Amino acid sequence: MKELAGRLAALDPDAGAALRVIAYFDRLIEGRAGLEALVRGAAVLADCPARLVDEERGVRVRVEPDGLRRDEGGPLDGAWASAPLTPGGSAAVWLERSGPSAGVHAMVLERAAAAARVVLDRTRGRAPADAGAGDPASLEVLLDEFATDHARHRAAVRLGLRDVATARVVVTAEGGPRVEAVPAAGDGSPSTGGRRAGVGPAVPVRDLPASYAAALTALRFTAEGTDQDPGPRTVYAAELGGLALLAESESADPAAVPDVAALERAVGAAPWVANTLHAIAFSTSLRSAAGDLNVHHSTLQDRLAQAEHWLGWPVSDPHGRLRLQLALVLRRLHRNLPSARPGRAGPRWARGPEDAGSGVRSA
């Protein structure tokens, strides 16, 4: 896209600039950028303050062309250029400049409005937000590592976290992140709604982006807890230790790890293999594993011999057991590949715009 934009710019500078704007906002959408990142992009690209106003959903975001969020900017001016998020709707992206929008400014408005509509539908749904519910837009700012300290503090205040000393992020499968205040008396059990969940460490509110990234990593280590996908349904990032490094280093292709490929073949050979190997790998003894599986000790020994044959290596010695544990963990990571890297929800504006890449509760 950059090469095409460069060639087009040589023939028609306006068309080339418009194509770069399209590619820029497409990258933000693919990276699941938050509302503030989208408005910041519009402000920087248009070189004037930009706003997103959706009174129905309770969203008001204003960013200066230097990339800093400043929501206090006075009332809207009807002479400013704007683009509605939906035809005839009141929610709109505004550029604080008079006159009709044309050229690059028109493209910035169009793409920013389309991107904002995608994010709002994802975070708030199409129905008006309940006044007593959490504020997903503020939550995205709170968890965005690229947001300024001031913007993150304001988001925390809006979410009722002004007087909270420590909090953590809980991310559930097929659900968004939630922030839980952690009492001084102890962590307490996270609310997961019965879904797989990754739990970030308890941190000061200003450090919640790190807890969010850790929770996303922990979620990848979870399992459904079934015979075919055995393992914990809730994983605490603080308990992973060095295992968390595997999530950063593992390949996206399971076939690239021979032990994982061998494990997949073994699991496919019989319905009892996955649960049996998991019990053997993570129980203190074969007798304990037999108890967990509710089978006789001799039955487990027979299954173990067959499973070792399918795997291609013995798992009764420490080295073989470690290989099995790593293979099981890597298999779980492969089954829970992330849709986007943690911490890439918004651009790092110090690099310039070309390099830019739900709820709160008490525990």
Side-chain angles (χ1 to χ4, degrees), residues 289-313:
D292 292 340
L293 294 170
N294 197 27
V295 299
H296 194 272
H297 183 259
S298 61
T299 300
L300 180 58
Q301 288 181 319
D302 292 340
R303 289 185 176 183
L304 174 58
Q306 184 63 66
E308 287 179 331
H309 173 71
W310 287 327
L311 277 176
W313 76 84

Side-chain angles (χ1 to χ4, degrees), residues 81-133:
S82 66
L85 271 58
T86 57
S90 60
V93 174
W94 296 77
L95 296 180
E96 297 183 14
R97 57 184 302 274
S98 301
S101 58
V104 172
H105 290 100
M107 184 58 65
V108 168
L109 276 174
E110 177 185 327
R111 301 306 295 180
R117 182 172 62 251
V118 170
V119 174
L120 283 170
D121 287 348
R122 184 183 80 228
T123 60
R124 287 179 174 260
R126 291 174 171 79
D130 186 356

Side-chain angles (χ1 to χ4, degrees), residues 19-45 63 107-108 111-120 122-123 140 144 146 339-341 343-349 352-357:
L19 191 59
R20 284 194 292 270
V21 169
I22 294 173
Y24 174 74
F25 281 103
D26 283 349
R27 289 199 303 273
L28 289 183
I29 293 175
E30 290 172 3
R32 297 177 67 83
L35 294 173
E36 183 174 339
L38 297 178
V39 179
R40 183 178 293 117
V44 172
L45 292 172
V63 179
M107 184 58 65
V108 168
R111 301 306 295 180
R117 182 172 62 251
V118 170
V119 174
L120 283 170
R122 184 183 80 228
T123 60
E140 290 207 23
D144 183 356
F146 301 125
S339 57
R341 287 180 57 81
R344 300 299 179 188
R348 188 182 293 278
W349 287 100
E354 283 302 319
D355 293 322

Side-chain angles (χ1 to χ4, degrees), residues 258-316:
D259 283 359
V260 176
L263 177 60
E264 290 289 3
R265 290 193 297 270
V267 167
W272 50 263
V273 173
N275 211 19
T276 297
L277 289 177
H278 179 270
I280 291 171
F282 296 104
S283 296
T284 55
S285 66
L286 280 181
R287 193 168 298 279
S288 175
D292 292 340
L293 294 170
N294 197 27
V295 299
H296 194 272
H297 183 259
S298 61
T299 300
L300 180 58
Q301 288 181 319
D302 292 340
R303 289 185 176 183
L304 174 58
Q306 184 63 66
E308 287 179 331
H309 173 71
W310 287 327
L311 277 176
W313 76 84
V315 299
S316 54

Side-chain angles (χ1 to χ4, degrees), residues 1-11 15-17 19-20 23 27 354:
M1 181 68 81
K2 281 187 176 182
E3 182 180 354
L4 178 60
R7 292 180 180 178
L8 191 57
L11 302 174
L19 191 59
R20 284 194 292 270
R27 289 199 303 273
E354 283 302 319

Side-chain angles (χ1 to χ4, degrees), residues 139-201:
L139 184 61
E140 290 207 23
V141 175
L142 183 65
L143 302 182
D144 183 356
E145 67 171 308
F146 301 125
T148 64
D149 290 341
H150 177 68
R152 195 176 298 129
H153 173 73
R154 287 174 59 88
V157 171
R158 288 193 295 268
L159 291 168
L161 297 171
R162 180 197 298 270
D163 300 320
V164 172
T166 59
R168 66 186 176 192
V169 178
V170 178
V171 181
T172 57
E174 301 178 358
R178 287 193 335 279
V179 173
E180 294 185 344
V182 178
D187 287 353
S189 298
S191 175
T192 65
R195 293 179 293 219
R196 293 186 295 110
V199 183

